[in-house]
Amino acid sequence: MNTPVVPHALPGQPHIAYQNGTLMVEGVHLSDLARVHGTPLFVYSKAAMLSALGAYQRGFAGRQAQICYAMKANSSLAVLQVFAEAGCGFDIVSGGELARVLAAGGDPAKIIFSGVGKTRAEMKQALQIGIGCFNVESEAELDVLSQVAVSAGLQAPVSLRVNPNVDPKTHPYISTGLKGNKFGIAHEDTLRAYRHAASLPGLKVVGIDCHIGSQITETTPYLDAMDRVLDLVGEIESAGIPIHHIDFGGGLGINYNGDTPPEADALWSQLLTKLDARGYGQRQLMIEPGRSLVGNAGVCLTEVLYLKPGEQKNFCIVDAAMNDLPRPAMYQAFHQIVPVSPRPNAGASQVYDIVGPVCESGDWIGRDRQLLVQAGDTLAVLSAGAYCMSMASNYNTRGRAAEILVDGTQAHLIRQRESAFDTFALEQLV
Ligand code: LLP
């Protein structure tokens, strides 16, 4: 029999697909990329990113809305460049991200700075280049930001991140809008915090924001959070403090394993209906999507090094590891894993745990996967565009992977593989 083993269905998007029995990203064969550039290798589709962005743009057609890509999801320069050239702003969380986004050509006026622990140096750096808004997460931060702005002879545009206490129904490590989380200002303290902000000389109140979590697959938590935030806008404006923009954060999930999040345009059609009904439809809107713009635009290619049958488990040992793909180890996350060139069904497929070379039992990429593979085969870990490369480390002195951006039939090397020397280049002997 020569029928290839049918791989798992790919998460729903057309830019990464099998053609004539081999996996391609747009017009480029992944087997060619693995051969030329080696593995582990991240490969991204520019068309997939722009199509994910397009769903948001359609959703906001006719509105005053700024999409600020949450660059923590994937902060590689060429990825930022794609979104900057498409008109996006950026949501940043550190001075490092600020430097990156400027290096990629981002417009400072479209940058918003989130995060609970901004340092004075980061505030100053952001003020001096004229960023669009600081999303402030505590009253203490308001005081420090005002001092930094006054001493620089500037005024900081601020929005307060409110914690709407809504359950996003996602993994506890990535839910951020509940009372027990470190993020945002409690709903009941919000008015006081806004009065405080309005009284400080170095600040100019411009907005309000929230972000309730990540990998959200339902619409209801967004609708609930919107209601809570709009209630607050009403209270704050009644106290004489105008709110120019409303920022609803990011968080929309993607299909990793049969997940069915709403499409961005469908989600926003429902949210805008509510916004209109409550009389806020003409406000300046902002959102901070990360994962939903890049997650399913990327794959990580990895080579099978060894097959190791065992009494309880069969292991498929590959050359990518938890330092390249930290999500399974950190959140028990599921990524589909498929062969780049499925083998004809000559032998029986087997159930494997797919694991990396790192010396930790937690170093697994997929568990109990049915595969027909041999050493030397290339596998593709899917949905690897978000929170993989940006969370990669050098654990076990493993250099970080190379990255390719595919645009049609062109494959651009956008990051070289890190050498062992690169990993210790900043160290010195005593
Ligand atoms: N805005 C703020 C303030 C955030 O904290 C985040 C993500 C986003 C926007 C973007 O959320 P997204 O649209 O990507 O869901 N490493 C985890 C995800 C951590 C998300 C942290 N904050 C993972 O791999 O699942």
Side-chain angles (χ1 to χ4, degrees):
M1 286 240 313
N2 254 4
T3 32
V5 170
V6 179
H8 305 81
L10 305 191
Q13 51 103 352
H15 308 284
I16 302 172
Y18 285 97
Q19 287 178 36
N20 302 322
T22 179
L23 196 58
M24 299 186 70
V25 167
E26 301 188 33
V28 174
H29 284 277
L30 290 178
S31 51
D32 289 345
L33 292 180
R35 196 178 56 251
V36 173
H37 299 281
T39 51
L41 181 70
F42 284 92
V43 184
Y44 309 118
S45 156
K46 181 176 177 182
M49 291 180 202
L50 291 178
S51 129
L53 177 64
Y56 281 102
Q57 289 167 330
R58 279 195 302 282
F60 286 115
R63 308 282 176 151
Q64 298 179 64
Q66 178 63 57
I67 300 167
C68 292
Y69 167 54
M71 62 179 282
K72 62 173 82 68
N74 187 322
S75 51
S76 300
L77 290 187
V79 172
L80 302 180
Q81 183 188 14
V82 168
F83 290 112
E85 286 174 359
C88 289
F90 295 88
D91 172 46
I92 65 165
V93 290
S94 70
E97 287 196 343
L98 179 55
R100 267 185 181 276
V101 89
L102 296 176
D107 176 356
K110 293 185 191 167
I111 297 175
I112 53 180
F113 194 165
S114 300
V116 296
K118 303 174 193 78
T119 65
R120 286 168 188 263
E122 287 173 325
M123 290 171 174
K124 194 170 165 200
Q125 179 193 2
L127 277 167
Q128 280 171 341
I129 59 108
I131 71 156
C133 187
F134 290 86
N135 285 359
V136 173
E137 302 230 12
S138 65
E139 293 194 57
E141 186 190 333
L142 286 175
D143 292 322
V144 172
L145 181 57
S146 177
Q147 286 165 17
V148 173
V150 167
S151 61
L154 296 164
Q155 234 190 0
V158 295
S159 159
L160 298 197
R161 174 169 177 183
V162 299
N163 185 336
N165 196 25
V166 165
D167 184 357
K169 302 195 176 74
T170 181
H171 191 286
Y173 283 15
I174 51 176
S175 89
T176 49
L178 278 165
K179 272 196 171 169
N181 295 125
K182 69 177 174 182
F183 298 101
I185 292 170
H187 194 91
E188 52 277 19
D189 299 334
T190 302
L191 188 56
R192 187 187 68 218
Y194 267 96
R195 286 205 165 104
H196 185 53
S199 75
L200 292 171
L203 305 185
K204 177 174 172 38
V205 171
V206 294
I208 189 167
D209 63 284
C210 75
H211 169 77
I212 56 174
S214 199
Q215 186 52 19
I216 301 170
T217 54
E218 294 176 29
T219 304
T220 318
Y222 280 105
L223 290 165
D224 292 348
M226 179 174 270
D227 266 328
R228 306 270 292 168
V229 170
L230 296 181
D231 290 348
L232 286 171
V233 174
E235 280 179 42
I236 297 160
E237 294 196 323
S238 307
I241 304 169
I243 299 291
H244 176 251
H245 75 249
I246 312 178
D247 170 353
F248 291 102
L252 181 58
I254 60 169
N255 176 6
Y256 284 103
N257 184 27
D259 307 288
T260 52
E263 296 292 329
D265 46 353
L267 171 70
W268 275 97
S269 139
Q270 288 200 51
L271 287 168
L272 290 172
T273 302
K274 178 181 281 293
L275 210 59
D276 289 340
R278 293 200 52 176
Y280 291 100
Q282 293 317 309
R283 278 306 155 104
Q284 169 74 34
L285 304 174
M286 310 242 268
I287 51 162
E288 308 162 3
R291 185 192 319 266
S292 51
L293 292 179
V294 289
N296 271 338
V299 303
C300 179
L301 302 181
T302 182
E303 183 185 325
V304 176
L305 298 175
Y306 305 103
L307 296 179
K308 183 173 174 180
E311 252 179 48
Q312 296 189 353
K313 289 259 180 191
N314 297 318
F315 292 102
C316 170
I317 302 169
V318 297
D319 67 357
M322 64 190 287
N323 73 300
D324 306 295
L325 294 159
R327 304 192 67 256
M330 279 187 80
Y331 319 110
Q332 298 79 45
F334 183 97
H335 287 260
Q336 288 200 30
I337 303 170
V338 299
V340 165
S341 303
R343 293 183 163 276
N345 194 3
S349 62
Q350 296 227 34
V351 175
Y352 294 99
D353 274 13
I354 293 150
V355 299
V358 162
C359 297
E360 299 254 1
S361 294
D363 180 26
W364 58 277
I365 295 171
R367 288 194 161 138
D368 298 325
R369 305 298 177 87
Q370 186 90 35
L371 283 173
L372 176 55
V373 277
Q374 287 180 11
D377 285 3
T378 307
L379 299 177
V381 181
L382 305 184
S383 311
Y387 301 113
C388 291
M389 190 62 182
S390 60
M391 290 173 67
S393 77
N394 291 125
Y395 188 38
N396 281 204
T397 306
R398 291 168 52 85
R400 282 178 298 169
E403 293 180 298
I404 303 281
L405 180 70
V406 170
D407 183 6
T409 55
Q410 298 260 33
H412 303 278
L413 179 66
I414 60 167
R415 183 197 296 256
Q416 292 177 27
R417 187 173 303 286
E418 237 172 5
S419 69
F421 178 78
D422 293 331
T423 70
F424 56 79
L426 298 179
E427 299 174 37
Q428 57 193 35
L429 297 172
V430 182

Short mmCIF file of all heavy atoms in Angstrom, two decimals, residues 13-16 25-26 44-55 82-83 292-298 405-406:
data_model
loop_
_atom_site.label_atom_id
_atom_site.label_comp_id
_atom_site.label_asym_id
_atom_site.label_seq_id
_atom_site.Cartn_x
_atom_site.Cartn_y
_atom_site.Cartn_z
N GLN A 13 -6.19 27.73 8.27
CA GLN A 13 -5.75 28.87 7.48
C GLN A 13 -5.01 28.34 6.26
O GLN A 13 -4.31 27.35 6.35
CB GLN A 13 -4.94 29.86 8.30
CG GLN A 13 -3.81 29.28 9.07
CD GLN A 13 -2.52 29.57 8.39
OE1 GLN A 13 -2.49 30.08 7.28
NE2 GLN A 13 -1.44 29.22 9.02
N PRO A 14 -5.18 29.02 5.15
CA PRO A 14 -4.76 28.44 3.87
C PRO A 14 -3.27 28.60 3.54
O PRO A 14 -2.82 28.04 2.54
CB PRO A 14 -5.59 29.25 2.86
CG PRO A 14 -5.83 30.56 3.53
CD PRO A 14 -5.86 30.30 5.00
N HIS A 15 -2.52 29.33 4.33
CA HIS A 15 -1.16 29.65 3.90
C HIS A 15 -0.14 28.59 4.27
O HIS A 15 1.00 28.64 3.83
CB HIS A 15 -0.76 31.02 4.44
CG HIS A 15 -1.77 32.08 4.11
ND1 HIS A 15 -1.85 32.62 2.86
CD2 HIS A 15 -2.76 32.63 4.83
CE1 HIS A 15 -2.85 33.48 2.82
NE2 HIS A 15 -3.42 33.51 4.01
N ILE A 16 -0.54 27.65 5.13
CA ILE A 16 0.36 26.56 5.51
C ILE A 16 -0.41 25.28 5.20
O ILE A 16 -1.38 24.96 5.86
CB ILE A 16 0.73 26.65 7.00
CG1 ILE A 16 1.40 28.00 7.27
CG2 ILE A 16 1.63 25.49 7.40
CD1 ILE A 16 1.66 28.31 8.72
N VAL A 25 4.76 26.49 3.08
CA VAL A 25 4.30 27.78 3.59
C VAL A 25 4.24 28.69 2.38
O VAL A 25 5.26 28.91 1.72
CB VAL A 25 5.23 28.32 4.68
CG1 VAL A 25 4.93 29.78 4.96
CG2 VAL A 25 5.08 27.52 5.96
N GLU A 26 3.05 29.15 2.06
CA GLU A 26 2.82 29.89 0.80
C GLU A 26 3.44 29.07 -0.34
O GLU A 26 3.15 27.88 -0.45
CB GLU A 26 3.33 31.32 0.90
CG GLU A 26 2.65 32.09 2.04
CD GLU A 26 3.00 33.57 2.04
OE1 GLU A 26 3.20 34.16 0.98
OE2 GLU A 26 3.03 34.15 3.14
N TYR A 44 7.66 31.64 9.05
CA TYR A 44 6.43 32.41 9.17
C TYR A 44 5.90 32.79 7.79
O TYR A 44 6.68 33.07 6.88
CB TYR A 44 6.68 33.73 9.93
CG TYR A 44 7.39 33.54 11.24
CD1 TYR A 44 8.64 34.13 11.46
CD2 TYR A 44 6.83 32.77 12.26
CE1 TYR A 44 9.31 33.96 12.66
CE2 TYR A 44 7.49 32.60 13.47
CZ TYR A 44 8.73 33.20 13.67
OH TYR A 44 9.39 33.02 14.85
N SER A 45 4.58 32.86 7.68
CA SER A 45 3.94 33.31 6.45
C SER A 45 3.50 34.76 6.61
O SER A 45 2.68 35.08 7.49
CB SER A 45 2.72 32.43 6.15
OG SER A 45 1.80 33.13 5.34
N LYS A 46 4.04 35.62 5.75
CA LYS A 46 3.63 37.03 5.79
C LYS A 46 2.15 37.16 5.43
O LYS A 46 1.41 37.93 6.06
CB LYS A 46 4.49 37.83 4.79
CG LYS A 46 4.16 39.30 4.78
CD LYS A 46 5.10 40.06 3.85
CE LYS A 46 4.71 41.52 3.78
NZ LYS A 46 5.55 42.28 2.85
N ALA A 47 1.70 36.37 4.43
CA ALA A 47 0.30 36.46 4.01
C ALA A 47 -0.64 36.07 5.15
O ALA A 47 -1.72 36.66 5.32
CB ALA A 47 0.06 35.56 2.80
N ALA A 48 -0.21 35.08 5.95
CA ALA A 48 -1.08 34.66 7.07
C ALA A 48 -1.19 35.78 8.11
O ALA A 48 -2.25 36.00 8.68
CB ALA A 48 -0.53 33.38 7.70
N MET A 49 -0.07 36.47 8.34
CA MET A 49 -0.13 37.59 9.30
C MET A 49 -1.04 38.69 8.78
O MET A 49 -1.87 39.23 9.52
CB MET A 49 1.28 38.19 9.50
CG MET A 49 2.23 37.28 10.22
SD MET A 49 3.84 38.11 10.37
CE MET A 49 4.88 36.69 10.60
N LEU A 50 -0.89 39.01 7.50
CA LEU A 50 -1.70 40.11 6.96
C LEU A 50 -3.17 39.71 6.88
O LEU A 50 -4.05 40.54 7.04
CB LEU A 50 -1.16 40.53 5.59
CG LEU A 50 0.21 41.21 5.65
CD1 LEU A 50 0.70 41.56 4.25
CD2 LEU A 50 0.19 42.46 6.53
N SER A 51 -3.42 38.41 6.67
CA SER A 51 -4.82 38.00 6.61
C SER A 51 -5.45 38.04 8.01
O SER A 51 -6.61 38.45 8.18
CB SER A 51 -4.91 36.65 5.90
OG SER A 51 -5.62 35.72 6.60
N ALA A 52 -4.67 37.69 9.04
CA ALA A 52 -5.19 37.79 10.42
C ALA A 52 -5.44 39.26 10.77
O ALA A 52 -6.46 39.61 11.39
CB ALA A 52 -4.20 37.17 11.40
N LEU A 53 -4.53 40.12 10.34
CA LEU A 53 -4.72 41.57 10.57
C LEU A 53 -5.96 42.07 9.82
O LEU A 53 -6.74 42.88 10.33
CB LEU A 53 -3.47 42.32 10.13
CG LEU A 53 -3.53 43.84 10.25
CD1 LEU A 53 -3.68 44.28 11.71
CD2 LEU A 53 -2.27 44.49 9.64
N GLY A 54 -6.14 41.54 8.60
CA GLY A 54 -7.27 41.96 7.77
C GLY A 54 -8.61 41.72 8.45
O GLY A 54 -9.54 42.52 8.30
N ALA A 55 -8.72 40.63 9.23
CA ALA A 55 -9.99 40.35 9.92
C ALA A 55 -10.29 41.45 10.93
O ALA A 55 -11.44 41.88 11.08
CB ALA A 55 -9.92 38.99 10.60
N VAL A 82 6.54 43.99 9.28
CA VAL A 82 5.30 43.67 8.54
C VAL A 82 4.14 44.48 9.11
O VAL A 82 3.36 45.09 8.37
CB VAL A 82 4.99 42.15 8.63
CG1 VAL A 82 3.57 41.85 8.13
CG2 VAL A 82 6.02 41.33 7.87
N PHE A 83 4.05 44.49 10.45
CA PHE A 83 2.90 45.18 11.06
C PHE A 83 3.06 46.70 11.00
O PHE A 83 2.07 47.42 10.83
CB PHE A 83 2.67 44.67 12.49
CG PHE A 83 2.15 43.26 12.50
CD1 PHE A 83 2.92 42.21 12.98
CD2 PHE A 83 0.90 42.97 11.98
CE1 PHE A 83 2.45 40.91 12.96
CE2 PHE A 83 0.41 41.66 11.94
CZ PHE A 83 1.19 40.63 12.44
N SER A 292 -3.36 36.27 18.14
CA SER A 292 -4.27 36.06 17.02
C SER A 292 -3.72 36.64 15.72
O SER A 292 -4.21 36.32 14.64
CB SER A 292 -5.65 36.66 17.33
OG SER A 292 -5.51 38.00 17.77
N LEU A 293 -2.69 37.48 15.79
CA LEU A 293 -2.09 38.03 14.57
C LEU A 293 -0.96 37.15 14.03
O LEU A 293 -0.67 37.18 12.84
CB LEU A 293 -1.57 39.45 14.80
CG LEU A 293 -2.62 40.53 15.06
CD1 LEU A 293 -1.95 41.89 15.29
CD2 LEU A 293 -3.59 40.63 13.89
N VAL A 294 -0.30 36.41 14.90
CA VAL A 294 0.90 35.69 14.45
C VAL A 294 0.90 34.19 14.75
O VAL A 294 1.66 33.43 14.14
CB VAL A 294 2.19 36.29 15.06
CG1 VAL A 294 2.49 37.64 14.45
CG2 VAL A 294 2.11 36.40 16.58
N GLY A 295 0.06 33.75 15.68
CA GLY A 295 0.16 32.37 16.19
C GLY A 295 0.09 31.32 15.09
O GLY A 295 0.97 30.46 14.98
N ASN A 296 -0.94 31.41 14.26
CA ASN A 296 -1.09 30.39 13.23
C ASN A 296 -0.40 30.76 11.92
O ASN A 296 -0.58 30.10 10.90
CB ASN A 296 -2.56 30.05 13.01
CG ASN A 296 -2.99 28.94 13.95
OD1 ASN A 296 -2.15 28.18 14.43
ND2 ASN A 296 -4.28 28.83 14.24
N ALA A 297 0.45 31.79 11.98
CA ALA A 297 1.24 32.14 10.80
C ALA A 297 2.61 31.48 10.84
O ALA A 297 3.41 31.68 9.93
CB ALA A 297 1.40 33.66 10.72
N GLY A 298 2.90 30.70 11.89
CA GLY A 298 4.26 30.17 12.01
C GLY A 298 4.31 28.69 12.34
O GLY A 298 3.39 28.14 12.96
N LEU A 405 11.10 34.34 7.02
CA LEU A 405 9.79 34.93 6.68
C LEU A 405 9.52 34.64 5.21
O LEU A 405 10.31 35.03 4.34
CB LEU A 405 9.81 36.45 6.91
CG LEU A 405 8.49 37.16 6.58
CD1 LEU A 405 7.41 36.80 7.60
CD2 LEU A 405 8.68 38.67 6.55
N VAL A 406 8.43 33.93 4.96
CA VAL A 406 8.06 33.60 3.59
C VAL A 406 7.08 34.65 3.07
O VAL A 406 6.14 35.05 3.77
CB VAL A 406 7.42 32.20 3.52
CG1 VAL A 406 6.81 31.95 2.14
CG2 VAL A 406 8.46 31.13 3.83
#
